[in-house]
């Protein structure tokens, strides 16, 4: 049985631990309050720059609420793709020029592949920007150099990849030795294209 001295010691130590924890929590809360506006501004700037990288003609980008069809959601899910934030890309008068769509494939060789796609109202893919990728160095990590440039400026409904050399606008040359990365990348792009087309009322795209 513990004596009174032991109990008092335990209570004192518990009190000290509580005081330290409380002080640390208050300090963290204070720092968060001081920095949250700056962090939010930096995040907003980074998002704006990422949007501008794939839709240079737009003057502003407005995040929108959206509901995609069950059929499209089911198709994207089957392909391992999730659609995230979508922005309207607008000119200086507020007219909508198209969309910036966040599309993430969960089926990359090394994990998620996150993209921003700039897509005009007529279905033209202005460009692709990689937000997240962790593929194999020397193989899948060549996506920036090998895959990204192949999509820019094309107006197609869906892309496919080939290992024998592309001959059509909707064909993308696969990264040699990185078929899984290529397929995940192409699926993410296709998911974003379908989302933009649906939001545009069907979109116009030719293969």
């Amino acid at each position: 049985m513990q004596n009174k001295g032991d109990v008092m010691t335990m209570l004192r130590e518990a009190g000290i631990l509580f005081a330290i924890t409380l002080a640390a929590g208050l300090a963290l809360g204070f720092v968060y309050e001081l920095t949250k506006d700056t962090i939010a501004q930096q995040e907003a700037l980074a998002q704006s720059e990422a949007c501008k990288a794939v839709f240079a003609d737009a003057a502003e980008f407005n995040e929108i609420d959206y509901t995609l069809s069950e059929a499209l959601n089911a198709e994207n899910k089957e392909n391992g793709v999730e659609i995230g934030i979508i922005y309207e890309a607008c000119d200086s008068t507020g007219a909508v020029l198209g969309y910036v769509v966040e599309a993430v494939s969960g089926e990359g060789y090394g994990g998620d592949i996150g993209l921003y796609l700039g897509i005009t109202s007529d279905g033209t893919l202005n460009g692709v920007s990689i937000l997240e990728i962790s593929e194999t160095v020397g193989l899948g990590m060549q996506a920036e150099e090998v895959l990204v440039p192949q999509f820019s400026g094309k107006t197609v409904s869906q892309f496919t990849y080939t290992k024998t050399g592309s001959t059509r606008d909707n064909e993308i040359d696969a990264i040699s030795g990185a078929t899984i990365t290529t397929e995940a990348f192409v699926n993410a792009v296709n998911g974003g294209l379908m989302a933009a087309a649906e939001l545009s009322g069907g979109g116009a795209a030719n293969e």
Side-chain angles (χ1 to χ4, degrees):
M1 184 174 179
Q2 294 179 325
N3 58 41
K4 185 176 180 180
D6 291 337
V7 173
M8 293 300 295
T9 298
M10 290 176 61
L11 290 174
R12 183 169 61 253
E13 290 176 349
I16 292 172
L17 181 60
F18 174 76
I20 292 172
T21 303
L22 178 62
L26 290 173
L28 286 173
F30 179 69
V31 171
Y32 171 74
E33 288 297 324
L34 284 178
T35 60
K36 67 177 182 179
D37 289 342
T38 300
I39 293 173
Q41 290 172 0
Q42 290 174 341
E43 289 177 348
L45 179 60
Q47 289 172 340
S48 178
E49 289 176 346
C51 289
K52 199 70 176 176
V54 296
F55 215 124
D57 291 340
E60 60 181 14
F61 302 94
N62 303 313
E63 184 177 345
I64 62 172
D65 292 325
Y66 64 91
T67 301
L68 300 177
S69 68
E70 292 183 7
L72 177 52
N73 284 328
E75 184 171 354
N76 277 335
K77 184 176 181 180
E78 184 177 347
N79 291 327
V81 175
E82 181 178 351
I83 302 301
I85 300 171
I86 296 180
Y87 300 91
E88 285 183 337
C90 303
D91 65 16
S92 58
T93 69
V96 177
L97 302 175
Y99 299 93
V100 173
V101 180
E102 179 186 17
V104 181
S105 171
E107 297 187 350
Y109 187 81
D112 289 349
I113 297 176
L115 309 174
Y116 261 14
L117 314 171
I119 305 163
T120 66
S121 296
D122 72 352
T124 300
L125 181 54
N126 283 335
V128 177
S129 179
I130 298 176
L131 303 176
E132 177 184 7
I133 191 169
S134 55
E135 303 298 272
T136 305
V137 175
L139 293 173
M141 287 303 287
Q142 296 182 80
E144 182 74 50
E145 295 79 25
V146 176
L147 297 181
V148 169
Q150 296 187 67
F151 292 98
S152 298
K154 293 184 176 178
T155 309
V156 303
S157 58
Q158 295 280 271
F159 288 95
T160 187
Y161 67 90
T162 177
K163 300 179 183 179
T164 58
S166 61
T167 59
R168 303 172 62 190
D169 275 354
N170 69 324
E171 290 182 336
I172 298 298
D173 289 322
I175 302 172
S176 179
T179 302
I180 293 176
T181 301
T182 302
E183 183 174 11
F185 202 102
V186 169
N187 283 343
V189 171
N190 287 340
L193 284 173
M194 289 188 291
E198 198 167 90
L199 291 170
S200 296
N206 302 309
E207 292 189 0

